[in-house]
C-alpha cells in the first residue's frame, strides 16, 4: 500500500506580495493595462503589422472616446 502524500503547503503571502496584487488589480480596473492588452490583441490578429506606439494608441483611444460618448455618463 502506498502512503498518502501530504498536501502541498501553501506559502504565506507577505504584505509586499499582497500590495503588488492590489496594485495590479487597481491598474487593471483603472485601465492602465489597456496598451499591454492592445499589444497582445494586435500580435494575435495582425501578425507582421506594426502596432501603434503607446502615445499613438492613447491618442486614438481618447479620440474614439470623445467621438463616441454614449458609453459614459459624463
Amino acid at each position: 500500500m502506498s502512503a498518502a502524500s501530504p498536501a502541498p503547503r501553501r506559502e504565506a503571502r507577505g504584505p509586499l506580495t499582497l500590495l503588488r496584487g492590489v496594485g495590479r488589480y487597481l491598474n487593471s480596473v483603472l485601465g492602465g493595462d489597456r496598451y499591454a492588452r492592445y499589444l497582445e490583441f494586435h500580435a494575435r490578429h495582425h501578425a507582421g503589422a506594426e502596432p501603434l506606439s503607446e502615445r499613438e494608441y492613447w491618442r486614438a483611444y481618447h479620440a474614439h472616446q470623445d467621438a463616441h460618448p454614449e458609453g459614459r455618463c459624463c
Side-chain angles (χ1 to χ4, degrees):
M1 294 193 178
S2 64
S5 61
R9 185 172 184 208
R10 291 187 69 174
E11 301 268 338
R13 291 186 179 167
L16 187 57
T17 303
L18 179 64
L19 285 175
R20 284 183 182 141
V22 169
R24 280 191 306 270
Y25 171 75
L26 290 175
N27 189 38
S28 174
V29 169
L30 296 175
D33 65 343
R34 279 188 208 278
Y35 183 68
R37 291 188 325 204
Y38 158 74
L39 290 176
E40 291 171 7
F41 175 85
H42 191 275
R44 278 193 316 269
H45 297 279
H46 305 287
E50 187 74 22
L52 297 174
S53 69
E54 188 169 4
R55 178 181 220 150
E56 292 169 331
Y57 170 78
W58 285 114
R59 283 186 178 172
Y61 174 79
H62 289 294
H64 183 325
Q65 291 294 311
D66 290 342
H68 301 90
E70 57 273 347
R72 299 184 318 218
C73 67
C74 309

